[in-house]
Amino acid sequence: EVQLAESGGGLVQPGGSRRLSCAASEFILSSYAMNWVRQAPGKGLEWVSVVSASGVGVYYADSVRGRFIVSRDSSRNTLYLEMNSLRDEDTAIYYCARRGSGRGFDLWGQGTPVIVST
Amino acid sequence: QSALTQPASVSGSLGQSITISCTGTSSDVGFYDYVSWYQQHPGKAPKLMIFDVTNRPSGVSNRFSGSKSGSTASLTISGLQAEDEADYYCNSYTGSDTLYVFGTGTKLTVL
């Protein structure tokens, strides 16, 4: 079955780091632009980052630029989000999402929660 | 890059039609035909309903349709069903360093 599965979430102290993973099944992740989207508790969706299919284009939301790094490992068919200097406001469920043939995100994982707290 | 503006809530009766608006600027919604819409039920991941303003992915009911006029995009749901009750979010490509922006979200209640 074509799917995405995030992992790596958990409780992190403010100022700490965490790496999230997003494993792709039944499709080649590097053939698509792949995104990270987050949702704080009780709040709306916030786009976080994207890596283009070529791997050359990497973009970030203003709120995470300079702190988060998106990458992928084609051999593992996995997308990553390295999160550094974490703040309370980074607390959210983090989803990975595939950009389909248009500019819609046509495939989403189930999400992994990140809680930044002492 | 500010979030796109959506009404906080809309409601409609079973069988009726509703429209959710999504207002951006001339730099995002008004410039690119790259608006998408997502449905999210509580505790679930979002689901793509419309992409590139008017296109429906395979498997999405034709009761869902999208349009755009100027800097405002719209999602219309006709023949409302109970399972349509959910949160809806629009999204636009921006072409800037912040490549995409979501709307503020709209809670749809089916009466």
mmCIF file of all heavy atoms in Angstrom, chain A residues 19 21-25 27 29 72-80:
data_model
loop_
_atom_site.group_PDB
_atom_site.id
_atom_site.type_symbol
_atom_site.label_atom_id
_atom_site.label_comp_id
_atom_site.label_asym_id
_atom_site.label_seq_id
_atom_site.Cartn_x
_atom_site.Cartn_y
_atom_site.Cartn_z
ATOM 1 N N ARG A 19 15.067 14.680 15.796
ATOM 2 C CA ARG A 19 14.991 14.369 14.372
ATOM 3 C C ARG A 19 13.776 13.509 14.096
ATOM 4 O O ARG A 19 13.615 12.436 14.689
ATOM 5 C CB ARG A 19 16.250 13.653 13.880
ATOM 6 C CG ARG A 19 16.253 13.515 12.361
ATOM 7 C CD ARG A 19 17.510 12.836 11.839
ATOM 8 N NE ARG A 19 17.447 11.383 11.968
ATOM 9 C CZ ARG A 19 18.206 10.550 11.287
ATOM 10 N NH1 ARG A 19 19.096 11.002 10.405
ATOM 11 N NH2 ARG A 19 18.120 9.239 11.487
ATOM 12 N N SER A 21 11.466 11.336 11.308
ATOM 13 C CA SER A 21 11.614 10.548 10.089
ATOM 14 C C SER A 21 10.251 10.332 9.450
ATOM 15 O O SER A 21 9.226 10.321 10.133
ATOM 16 C CB SER A 21 12.240 9.183 10.401
ATOM 17 O OG SER A 21 13.508 9.330 10.984
ATOM 18 N N CYS A 22 10.260 10.150 8.148
ATOM 19 C CA CYS A 22 9.043 9.865 7.385
ATOM 20 C C CYS A 22 9.406 8.810 6.344
ATOM 21 O O CYS A 22 10.073 9.121 5.352
ATOM 22 C CB CYS A 22 8.529 11.138 6.729
ATOM 23 S SG CYS A 22 7.230 10.883 5.493
ATOM 24 N N ALA A 23 8.984 7.588 6.590
ATOM 25 C CA ALA A 23 9.311 6.477 5.696
ATOM 26 C C ALA A 23 8.213 6.299 4.648
ATOM 27 O O ALA A 23 7.026 6.239 4.987
ATOM 28 C CB ALA A 23 9.480 5.198 6.495
ATOM 29 N N ALA A 24 8.626 6.203 3.398
ATOM 30 C CA ALA A 24 7.678 6.017 2.300
ATOM 31 C C ALA A 24 7.605 4.540 1.909
ATOM 32 O O ALA A 24 8.634 3.851 1.877
ATOM 33 C CB ALA A 24 8.095 6.842 1.092
ATOM 34 N N SER A 25 6.395 4.079 1.610
ATOM 35 C CA SER A 25 6.189 2.699 1.177
ATOM 36 C C SER A 25 5.504 2.675 -0.183
ATOM 37 O O SER A 25 4.575 3.438 -0.428
ATOM 38 C CB SER A 25 5.312 1.945 2.188
ATOM 39 O OG SER A 25 5.903 1.920 3.451
ATOM 40 N N PHE A 27 6.308 3.599 -3.089
ATOM 41 C CA PHE A 27 6.609 4.601 -4.111
ATOM 42 C C PHE A 27 8.002 5.164 -3.813
ATOM 43 O O PHE A 27 8.504 5.045 -2.690
ATOM 44 C CB PHE A 27 5.560 5.724 -4.180
ATOM 45 C CG PHE A 27 5.605 6.720 -3.043
ATOM 46 C CD1 PHE A 27 6.294 7.915 -3.174
ATOM 47 C CD2 PHE A 27 4.955 6.456 -1.846
ATOM 48 C CE1 PHE A 27 6.322 8.832 -2.140
ATOM 49 C CE2 PHE A 27 4.975 7.361 -0.807
ATOM 50 C CZ PHE A 27 5.671 8.556 -0.947
ATOM 51 N N LEU A 29 10.267 7.943 -2.955
ATOM 52 C CA LEU A 29 10.128 9.258 -2.310
ATOM 53 C C LEU A 29 10.851 10.348 -3.088
ATOM 54 O O LEU A 29 10.347 11.458 -3.221
ATOM 55 C CB LEU A 29 10.651 9.167 -0.870
ATOM 56 C CG LEU A 29 10.517 10.367 0.039
ATOM 57 C CD1 LEU A 29 10.172 9.931 1.450
ATOM 58 C CD2 LEU A 29 11.826 11.159 0.019
ATOM 59 N N ARG A 72 16.705 14.075 2.925
ATOM 60 C CA ARG A 72 16.156 12.764 2.601
ATOM 61 C C ARG A 72 17.299 11.805 2.308
ATOM 62 O O ARG A 72 18.416 12.204 1.945
ATOM 63 C CB ARG A 72 15.206 12.851 1.405
ATOM 64 C CG ARG A 72 15.903 13.218 0.111
ATOM 65 C CD ARG A 72 14.924 13.465 -1.007
ATOM 66 N NE ARG A 72 15.652 13.666 -2.261
ATOM 67 C CZ ARG A 72 15.132 14.159 -3.356
ATOM 68 N NH1 ARG A 72 13.853 14.518 -3.381
ATOM 69 N NH2 ARG A 72 15.858 14.308 -4.452
ATOM 70 N N ASP A 73 17.006 10.522 2.484
ATOM 71 C CA ASP A 73 17.951 9.445 2.198
ATOM 72 C C ASP A 73 17.274 8.529 1.189
ATOM 73 O O ASP A 73 16.369 7.774 1.541
ATOM 74 C CB ASP A 73 18.292 8.701 3.491
ATOM 75 C CG ASP A 73 19.346 7.626 3.283
ATOM 76 O OD1 ASP A 73 19.482 7.125 2.136
ATOM 77 O OD2 ASP A 73 20.028 7.261 4.261
ATOM 78 N N SER A 74 17.709 8.607 -0.058
ATOM 79 C CA SER A 74 17.069 7.809 -1.117
ATOM 80 C C SER A 74 17.253 6.318 -0.880
ATOM 81 O O SER A 74 16.368 5.524 -1.218
ATOM 82 C CB SER A 74 17.641 8.214 -2.477
ATOM 83 O OG SER A 74 17.348 9.570 -2.764
ATOM 84 N N SER A 75 18.371 5.930 -0.303
ATOM 85 C CA SER A 75 18.619 4.497 -0.078
ATOM 86 C C SER A 75 17.649 3.924 0.953
ATOM 87 O O SER A 75 17.317 2.737 0.901
ATOM 88 C CB SER A 75 20.062 4.275 0.368
ATOM 89 O OG SER A 75 20.292 4.845 1.644
ATOM 90 N N ARG A 76 17.199 4.767 1.859
ATOM 91 C CA ARG A 76 16.232 4.340 2.875
ATOM 92 C C ARG A 76 14.811 4.750 2.523
ATOM 93 O O ARG A 76 13.876 4.441 3.257
ATOM 94 C CB ARG A 76 16.619 4.923 4.240
ATOM 95 C CG ARG A 76 17.956 4.426 4.769
ATOM 96 C CD ARG A 76 18.263 5.064 6.116
ATOM 97 N NE ARG A 76 19.571 4.672 6.616
ATOM 98 C CZ ARG A 76 19.795 3.595 7.358
ATOM 99 N NH1 ARG A 76 18.793 2.805 7.700
ATOM 100 N NH2 ARG A 76 21.013 3.318 7.765
ATOM 101 N N ASN A 77 14.654 5.492 1.409
ATOM 102 C CA ASN A 77 13.344 5.993 0.989
ATOM 103 C C ASN A 77 12.667 6.760 2.124
ATOM 104 O O ASN A 77 11.466 6.577 2.397
ATOM 105 C CB ASN A 77 12.438 4.832 0.526
ATOM 106 C CG ASN A 77 11.497 5.243 -0.600
ATOM 107 O OD1 ASN A 77 11.785 6.143 -1.384
ATOM 108 N ND2 ASN A 77 10.361 4.574 -0.672
ATOM 109 N N THR A 78 13.438 7.598 2.783
ATOM 110 C CA THR A 78 12.990 8.267 3.998
ATOM 111 C C THR A 78 13.296 9.761 3.954
ATOM 112 O O THR A 78 14.370 10.165 3.496
ATOM 113 C CB THR A 78 13.642 7.638 5.234
ATOM 114 O OG1 THR A 78 13.261 6.251 5.307
ATOM 115 C CG2 THR A 78 13.206 8.336 6.513
ATOM 116 N N LEU A 79 12.355 10.541 4.462
ATOM 117 C CA LEU A 79 12.473 11.997 4.598
ATOM 118 C C LEU A 79 12.751 12.308 6.062
ATOM 119 O O LEU A 79 12.256 11.607 6.953
ATOM 120 C CB LEU A 79 11.157 12.662 4.165
ATOM 121 C CG LEU A 79 10.998 14.161 4.305
ATOM 122 C CD1 LEU A 79 11.816 14.879 3.237
ATOM 123 C CD2 LEU A 79 9.522 14.547 4.210
ATOM 124 N N TYR A 80 13.537 13.343 6.321
ATOM 125 C CA TYR A 80 13.874 13.714 7.693
ATOM 126 C C TYR A 80 13.581 15.201 7.943
ATOM 127 O O TYR A 80 13.579 16.024 7.026
ATOM 128 C CB TYR A 80 15.359 13.463 7.966
ATOM 129 C CG TYR A 80 15.775 12.021 7.802
ATOM 130 C CD1 TYR A 80 16.440 11.595 6.651
ATOM 131 C CD2 TYR A 80 15.514 11.084 8.798
ATOM 132 C CE1 TYR A 80 16.815 10.275 6.487
ATOM 133 C CE2 TYR A 80 15.897 9.754 8.648
ATOM 134 C CZ TYR A 80 16.540 9.365 7.487
ATOM 135 O OH TYR A 80 16.915 8.041 7.328
#
